[in-house]
Amino acid sequence: MKKLQACLFAISALTLAVPASAQFAKAEDAVKYRQSALFVMQQNFSRVAGMAAGKIPFDAKVAADSAAVAEFTSKLPWAGFGPGSDKPESKAKPEIWANKAKFDDYATKMQTEMAKLAVATKSGNLDSIKLAVNATGGTCKSCHDDFRAK
Amino acid sequence: MKKLQACLFAISALTLAVPASAQFAKAEDAVKYRQSALFVMQQNFSRVAGMAAGKIPFDAKVAADSAAVAEFTSKLPWAGFGPGSDKPESKAKPEIWANKAKFDDYATKMQTEMAKLAVATKSGNLDSIKLAVNATGGTCKSCHDDFRAK
């Protein structure tokens, strides 16, 4: 009974009363969610990019593992750009919500290139990885140039 | 040529000169990485827990998708608890590094229960999901009680 109470306490502490339509309890959570997902992605992508640039010794397994995490997490941030998530202070420009179709197109392109990078790292061919890193990095830059404040 | 330069710029901006042995460029990145991974996981777990507790209307697909993300991200935070990552200010207690084996055991248990939750959500059976949410929430609580400052 005591254990059940502890569990119920843990659950109530972790949950919030929100409608299913609202993916996040508050706009600040949406912002933190997209920033968190992008940070996890960026850390993993940067490791592979560092290997491609010769700044980090090439390790095929680490590259493949990192690219797999980057690919998975590349799908996550976009849920955090929903209606109302433009309100809290962040580097996301209002243009995102004004040009959502263009933003979504950039997001799709990045995910496509990140998936290709994951495939390239599985090949273990450093030249293929370099090309895929360049293509992926280009999609990051395009979006940051248009939609992220300095 | 201009495009190549833009790509190379994007890559150099995203990479850091670090040895492969150092998974993160600096201890602050390790802390931010584990916090980010745990936040993404918690947001997804909480959505399923909210459905289990009747606070969010049950949607089998959303539950399964959320649990899948929670399962994947449950594997990530631990890389951010390496040597030196106890230095930056955070809620992580020094006991983590003093009792690493116990901490790792909690981490493994949480990942095991989160994987079971992902299986339960695929079944679509709310009773199974409730049991798995309780078990998973219990592993969160145990670890927070021992290793996380209030």
Side-chain angles (χ1 to χ4, degrees), chain A residues 99-132:
Chain A
N99 300 290
K100 200 72 196 325
K102 188 181 175 190
F103 178 75
D104 290 345
D105 185 48
Y106 276 150
T108 303
K109 277 182 184 144
M110 187 275 275
Q111 291 170 75
T112 303
E113 296 304 332
M114 197 68 87
K116 286 187 198 167
L117 176 61
V119 172
T121 57
K122 277 176 204 155
S123 76
N125 181 301
L126 194 52
D127 286 333
S128 305
I129 295 171
K130 283 178 188 173
L131 284 171

mmCIF file of all heavy atoms in Angstrom, chain A residues 99-132:
data_model
loop_
_atom_site.group_PDB
_atom_site.id
_atom_site.type_symbol
_atom_site.label_atom_id
_atom_site.label_comp_id
_atom_site.label_asym_id
_atom_site.label_seq_id
_atom_site.Cartn_x
_atom_site.Cartn_y
_atom_site.Cartn_z
ATOM 1 N N ASN A 99 5.797 32.163 -41.845
ATOM 2 C CA ASN A 99 6.131 31.398 -43.062
ATOM 3 C C ASN A 99 6.282 29.925 -42.705
ATOM 4 O O ASN A 99 7.310 29.292 -42.985
ATOM 5 C CB ASN A 99 7.455 31.901 -43.671
ATOM 6 C CG ASN A 99 7.400 33.348 -44.053
ATOM 7 O OD1 ASN A 99 6.719 33.724 -45.001
ATOM 8 N ND2 ASN A 99 8.107 34.186 -43.302
ATOM 9 N N LYS A 100 5.263 29.374 -42.077
ATOM 10 C CA LYS A 100 5.367 28.016 -41.526
ATOM 11 C C LYS A 100 5.684 26.981 -42.610
ATOM 12 O O LYS A 100 6.436 26.041 -42.353
ATOM 13 C CB LYS A 100 4.063 27.643 -40.801
ATOM 14 C CG LYS A 100 4.228 26.491 -39.794
ATOM 15 C CD LYS A 100 4.994 26.952 -38.564
ATOM 16 C CE LYS A 100 5.548 25.839 -37.692
ATOM 17 N NZ LYS A 100 4.755 24.633 -37.585
ATOM 18 N N ALA A 101 5.117 27.173 -43.809
ATOM 19 C CA ALA A 101 5.354 26.201 -44.885
ATOM 20 C C ALA A 101 6.837 26.155 -45.261
ATOM 21 O O ALA A 101 7.405 25.083 -45.471
ATOM 22 C CB ALA A 101 4.503 26.536 -46.103
ATOM 23 N N LYS A 102 7.456 27.339 -45.333
ATOM 24 C CA LYS A 102 8.885 27.399 -45.676
ATOM 25 C C LYS A 102 9.720 26.779 -44.547
ATOM 26 O O LYS A 102 10.670 26.025 -44.797
ATOM 27 C CB LYS A 102 9.304 28.864 -45.899
ATOM 28 C CG LYS A 102 10.714 29.008 -46.439
ATOM 29 C CD LYS A 102 11.102 30.480 -46.619
ATOM 30 C CE LYS A 102 12.557 30.599 -47.056
ATOM 31 N NZ LYS A 102 13.036 31.993 -47.005
ATOM 32 N N PHE A 103 9.353 27.088 -43.323
ATOM 33 C CA PHE A 103 10.057 26.528 -42.161
ATOM 34 C C PHE A 103 9.936 25.001 -42.147
ATOM 35 O O PHE A 103 10.926 24.287 -41.949
ATOM 36 C CB PHE A 103 9.473 27.122 -40.871
ATOM 37 C CG PHE A 103 10.095 26.580 -39.615
ATOM 38 C CD1 PHE A 103 11.366 26.986 -39.219
ATOM 39 C CD2 PHE A 103 9.424 25.653 -38.821
ATOM 40 C CE1 PHE A 103 11.955 26.482 -38.062
ATOM 41 C CE2 PHE A 103 10.002 25.156 -37.663
ATOM 42 C CZ PHE A 103 11.263 25.575 -37.285
ATOM 43 N N ASP A 104 8.710 24.529 -42.383
ATOM 44 C CA ASP A 104 8.491 23.080 -42.389
ATOM 45 C C ASP A 104 9.290 22.405 -43.508
ATOM 46 O O ASP A 104 9.771 21.285 -43.344
ATOM 47 C CB ASP A 104 6.990 22.766 -42.562
ATOM 48 C CG ASP A 104 6.177 23.147 -41.324
ATOM 49 O OD1 ASP A 104 6.788 23.381 -40.256
ATOM 50 O OD2 ASP A 104 4.939 23.216 -41.425
ATOM 51 N N ASP A 105 9.421 23.110 -44.635
ATOM 52 C CA ASP A 105 10.203 22.581 -45.755
ATOM 53 C C ASP A 105 11.673 22.440 -45.345
ATOM 54 O O ASP A 105 12.318 21.409 -45.605
ATOM 55 C CB ASP A 105 10.042 23.522 -46.953
ATOM 56 C CG ASP A 105 10.726 22.975 -48.190
ATOM 57 O OD1 ASP A 105 10.513 21.787 -48.496
ATOM 58 O OD2 ASP A 105 11.477 23.722 -48.837
ATOM 59 N N TYR A 106 12.211 23.456 -44.696
ATOM 60 C CA TYR A 106 13.593 23.387 -44.187
ATOM 61 C C TYR A 106 13.731 22.216 -43.214
ATOM 62 O O TYR A 106 14.717 21.489 -43.237
ATOM 63 C CB TYR A 106 13.946 24.678 -43.443
ATOM 64 C CG TYR A 106 14.419 25.832 -44.298
ATOM 65 C CD1 TYR A 106 14.179 27.145 -43.912
ATOM 66 C CD2 TYR A 106 15.142 25.627 -45.474
ATOM 67 C CE1 TYR A 106 14.628 28.226 -44.667
ATOM 68 C CE2 TYR A 106 15.593 26.699 -46.231
ATOM 69 C CZ TYR A 106 15.331 27.992 -45.835
ATOM 70 O OH TYR A 106 15.780 29.052 -46.562
ATOM 71 N N ALA A 107 12.734 22.090 -42.330
ATOM 72 C CA ALA A 107 12.788 21.026 -41.315
ATOM 73 C C ALA A 107 12.805 19.655 -41.979
ATOM 74 O O ALA A 107 13.556 18.761 -41.565
ATOM 75 C CB ALA A 107 11.595 21.151 -40.372
ATOM 76 N N THR A 108 11.998 19.502 -43.013
ATOM 77 C CA THR A 108 11.954 18.224 -43.731
ATOM 78 C C THR A 108 13.278 17.936 -44.425
ATOM 79 O O THR A 108 13.793 16.809 -44.371
ATOM 80 C CB THR A 108 10.812 18.250 -44.785
ATOM 81 O OG1 THR A 108 9.594 18.529 -44.099
ATOM 82 C CG2 THR A 108 10.695 16.924 -45.511
ATOM 83 N N LYS A 109 13.840 18.973 -45.065
ATOM 84 C CA LYS A 109 15.124 18.798 -45.757
ATOM 85 C C LYS A 109 16.222 18.380 -44.780
ATOM 86 O O LYS A 109 17.049 17.518 -45.084
ATOM 87 C CB LYS A 109 15.526 20.102 -46.458
ATOM 88 C CG LYS A 109 14.851 20.246 -47.814
ATOM 89 C CD LYS A 109 15.291 21.513 -48.542
ATOM 90 C CE LYS A 109 14.506 21.662 -49.846
ATOM 91 N NZ LYS A 109 14.182 23.059 -50.170
ATOM 92 N N MET A 110 16.235 18.999 -43.624
ATOM 93 C CA MET A 110 17.261 18.652 -42.636
ATOM 94 C C MET A 110 17.119 17.199 -42.212
ATOM 95 O O MET A 110 18.100 16.464 -42.145
ATOM 96 C CB MET A 110 17.146 19.598 -41.425
ATOM 97 C CG MET A 110 18.259 19.439 -40.405
ATOM 98 S SD MET A 110 17.940 18.131 -39.211
ATOM 99 C CE MET A 110 16.937 19.006 -38.009
ATOM 100 N N GLN A 111 15.861 16.778 -41.956
ATOM 101 C CA GLN A 111 15.653 15.388 -41.540
ATOM 102 C C GLN A 111 16.074 14.399 -42.632
ATOM 103 O O GLN A 111 16.624 13.341 -42.347
ATOM 104 C CB GLN A 111 14.179 15.166 -41.180
ATOM 105 C CG GLN A 111 13.776 15.899 -39.907
ATOM 106 C CD GLN A 111 12.262 15.885 -39.696
ATOM 107 O OE1 GLN A 111 11.704 14.869 -39.311
ATOM 108 N NE2 GLN A 111 11.600 16.991 -39.959
ATOM 109 N N THR A 112 15.812 14.777 -43.883
ATOM 110 C CA THR A 112 16.196 13.925 -45.013
ATOM 111 C C THR A 112 17.718 13.775 -45.077
ATOM 112 O O THR A 112 18.239 12.662 -45.221
ATOM 113 C CB THR A 112 15.685 14.541 -46.338
ATOM 114 O OG1 THR A 112 14.273 14.693 -46.243
ATOM 115 C CG2 THR A 112 16.028 13.657 -47.523
ATOM 116 N N GLU A 113 18.420 14.901 -44.949
ATOM 117 C CA GLU A 113 19.886 14.852 -45.029
ATOM 118 C C GLU A 113 20.484 14.155 -43.813
ATOM 119 O O GLU A 113 21.490 13.451 -43.925
ATOM 120 C CB GLU A 113 20.466 16.272 -45.181
ATOM 121 C CG GLU A 113 20.062 16.979 -46.465
ATOM 122 C CD GLU A 113 20.416 16.213 -47.736
ATOM 123 O OE1 GLU A 113 21.399 15.437 -47.734
ATOM 124 O OE2 GLU A 113 19.698 16.379 -48.748
ATOM 125 N N MET A 114 19.858 14.332 -42.646
ATOM 126 C CA MET A 114 20.361 13.670 -41.435
ATOM 127 C C MET A 114 20.189 12.150 -41.569
ATOM 128 O O MET A 114 21.057 11.386 -41.121
ATOM 129 C CB MET A 114 19.632 14.197 -40.201
ATOM 130 C CG MET A 114 20.338 13.902 -38.891
ATOM 131 S SD MET A 114 21.899 14.807 -38.685
ATOM 132 C CE MET A 114 21.311 16.360 -37.970
ATOM 133 N N ALA A 115 19.104 11.741 -42.187
ATOM 134 C CA ALA A 115 18.881 10.303 -42.414
ATOM 135 C C ALA A 115 19.932 9.751 -43.381
ATOM 136 O O ALA A 115 20.441 8.640 -43.199
ATOM 137 C CB ALA A 115 17.474 10.069 -42.963
ATOM 138 N N LYS A 116 20.283 10.547 -44.408
ATOM 139 C CA LYS A 116 21.329 10.121 -45.352
ATOM 140 C C LYS A 116 22.678 10.026 -44.645
ATOM 141 O O LYS A 116 23.485 9.145 -44.941
ATOM 142 C CB LYS A 116 21.422 11.122 -46.514
ATOM 143 C CG LYS A 116 20.280 11.048 -47.511
ATOM 144 C CD LYS A 116 20.594 11.966 -48.700
ATOM 145 C CE LYS A 116 19.362 12.295 -49.513
ATOM 146 N NZ LYS A 116 19.616 13.408 -50.462
ATOM 147 N N LEU A 117 22.903 10.951 -43.732
ATOM 148 C CA LEU A 117 24.157 10.912 -42.957
ATOM 149 C C LEU A 117 24.233 9.632 -42.126
ATOM 150 O O LEU A 117 25.295 9.003 -42.038
ATOM 151 C CB LEU A 117 24.265 12.147 -42.048
ATOM 152 C CG LEU A 117 25.479 12.192 -41.110
ATOM 153 C CD1 LEU A 117 26.792 12.180 -41.878
ATOM 154 C CD2 LEU A 117 25.425 13.422 -40.198
ATOM 155 N N ALA A 118 23.105 9.258 -41.542
ATOM 156 C CA ALA A 118 23.086 8.019 -40.743
ATOM 157 C C ALA A 118 23.423 6.819 -41.625
ATOM 158 O O ALA A 118 24.182 5.927 -41.212
ATOM 159 C CB ALA A 118 21.722 7.843 -40.081
ATOM 160 N N VAL A 119 22.905 6.812 -42.838
ATOM 161 C CA VAL A 119 23.222 5.729 -43.787
ATOM 162 C C VAL A 119 24.715 5.761 -44.123
ATOM 163 O O VAL A 119 25.381 4.720 -44.116
ATOM 164 C CB VAL A 119 22.374 5.866 -45.073
ATOM 165 C CG1 VAL A 119 22.832 4.866 -46.135
ATOM 166 C CG2 VAL A 119 20.885 5.655 -44.756
ATOM 167 N N ALA A 120 25.230 6.954 -44.396
ATOM 168 C CA ALA A 120 26.648 7.100 -44.759
ATOM 169 C C ALA A 120 27.571 6.601 -43.650
ATOM 170 O O ALA A 120 28.586 5.946 -43.919
ATOM 171 C CB ALA A 120 26.952 8.559 -45.090
ATOM 172 N N THR A 121 27.211 6.903 -42.391
ATOM 173 C CA THR A 121 28.080 6.470 -41.284
ATOM 174 C C THR A 121 28.067 4.957 -41.147
ATOM 175 O O THR A 121 29.039 4.362 -40.694
ATOM 176 C CB THR A 121 27.668 7.097 -39.933
ATOM 177 O OG1 THR A 121 26.301 6.771 -39.660
ATOM 178 C CG2 THR A 121 27.844 8.605 -39.941
ATOM 179 N N LYS A 122 26.957 4.330 -41.547
ATOM 180 C CA LYS A 122 26.905 2.856 -41.482
ATOM 181 C C LYS A 122 27.847 2.229 -42.503
ATOM 182 O O LYS A 122 28.339 1.127 -42.294
ATOM 183 C CB LYS A 122 25.465 2.370 -41.704
ATOM 184 C CG LYS A 122 24.635 2.414 -40.424
ATOM 185 C CD LYS A 122 23.182 2.021 -40.676
ATOM 186 C CE LYS A 122 22.271 2.598 -39.611
ATOM 187 N NZ LYS A 122 20.883 2.766 -40.079
ATOM 188 N N SER A 123 28.082 2.948 -43.623
ATOM 189 C CA SER A 123 29.011 2.455 -44.643
ATOM 190 C C SER A 123 30.452 2.509 -44.127
ATOM 191 O O SER A 123 31.303 1.748 -44.578
ATOM 192 C CB SER A 123 28.899 3.295 -45.922
ATOM 193 O OG SER A 123 29.563 4.544 -45.745
ATOM 194 N N GLY A 124 30.701 3.433 -43.204
ATOM 195 C CA GLY A 124 32.058 3.585 -42.677
ATOM 196 C C GLY A 124 32.998 4.307 -43.638
ATOM 197 O O GLY A 124 34.185 4.466 -43.346
ATOM 198 N N ASN A 125 32.475 4.746 -44.785
ATOM 199 C CA ASN A 125 33.297 5.444 -45.788
ATOM 200 C C ASN A 125 33.373 6.934 -45.447
ATOM 201 O O ASN A 125 32.366 7.650 -45.510
ATOM 202 C CB ASN A 125 32.673 5.220 -47.178
ATOM 203 C CG ASN A 125 33.498 5.895 -48.267
ATOM 204 O OD1 ASN A 125 33.708 7.099 -48.260
ATOM 205 N ND2 ASN A 125 33.982 5.094 -49.210
ATOM 206 N N LEU A 126 34.587 7.371 -45.105
ATOM 207 C CA LEU A 126 34.755 8.738 -44.619
ATOM 208 C C LEU A 126 34.408 9.781 -45.683
ATOM 209 O O LEU A 126 33.873 10.852 -45.348
ATOM 210 C CB LEU A 126 36.178 8.942 -44.091
ATOM 211 C CG LEU A 126 36.434 10.210 -43.250
ATOM 212 C CD1 LEU A 126 35.455 10.360 -42.107
ATOM 213 C CD2 LEU A 126 37.861 10.215 -42.712
ATOM 214 N N ASP A 127 34.680 9.483 -46.959
ATOM 215 C CA ASP A 127 34.341 10.443 -48.027
ATOM 216 C C ASP A 127 32.824 10.623 -48.133
ATOM 217 O O ASP A 127 32.338 11.748 -48.298
ATOM 218 C CB ASP A 127 34.920 9.989 -49.372
ATOM 219 C CG ASP A 127 36.433 10.202 -49.431
ATOM 220 O OD1 ASP A 127 36.920 11.108 -48.732
ATOM 221 O OD2 ASP A 127 37.116 9.451 -50.158
ATOM 222 N N SER A 128 32.087 9.531 -48.056
ATOM 223 C CA SER A 128 30.619 9.615 -48.078
ATOM 224 C C SER A 128 30.112 10.393 -46.866
ATOM 225 O O SER A 128 29.167 11.191 -46.974
ATOM 226 C CB SER A 128 29.985 8.220 -48.047
ATOM 227 O OG SER A 128 30.483 7.429 -49.078
ATOM 228 N N ILE A 129 30.742 10.150 -45.732
ATOM 229 C CA ILE A 129 30.339 10.845 -44.500
ATOM 230 C C ILE A 129 30.576 12.347 -44.642
ATOM 231 O O ILE A 129 29.713 13.158 -44.281
ATOM 232 C CB ILE A 129 31.087 10.275 -43.269
ATOM 233 C CG1 ILE A 129 30.685 8.811 -43.039
ATOM 234 C CG2 ILE A 129 30.832 11.115 -42.022
ATOM 235 C CD1 ILE A 129 31.510 8.068 -41.997
ATOM 236 N N LYS A 130 31.746 12.717 -45.214
ATOM 237 C CA LYS A 130 32.051 14.146 -45.405
ATOM 238 C C LYS A 130 30.991 14.823 -46.270
ATOM 239 O O LYS A 130 30.517 15.922 -45.944
ATOM 240 C CB LYS A 130 33.433 14.319 -46.064
ATOM 241 C CG LYS A 130 34.586 14.119 -45.106
ATOM 242 C CD LYS A 130 35.922 14.263 -45.834
ATOM 243 C CE LYS A 130 37.060 13.870 -44.912
ATOM 244 N NZ LYS A 130 38.375 13.831 -45.604
ATOM 245 N N LEU A 131 30.632 14.183 -47.381
ATOM 246 C CA LEU A 131 29.614 14.759 -48.270
ATOM 247 C C LEU A 131 28.282 14.925 -47.535
ATOM 248 O O LEU A 131 27.617 15.956 -47.647
ATOM 249 C CB LEU A 131 29.415 13.856 -49.501
ATOM 250 C CG LEU A 131 30.516 13.928 -50.568
ATOM 251 C CD1 LEU A 131 30.315 12.825 -51.609
ATOM 252 C CD2 LEU A 131 30.527 15.300 -51.248
ATOM 253 N N ALA A 132 27.906 13.899 -46.792
ATOM 254 C CA ALA A 132 26.629 13.938 -46.067
ATOM 255 C C ALA A 132 26.655 14.973 -44.946
ATOM 256 O O ALA A 132 25.641 15.642 -44.688
ATOM 257 C CB ALA A 132 26.288 12.549 -45.521
#
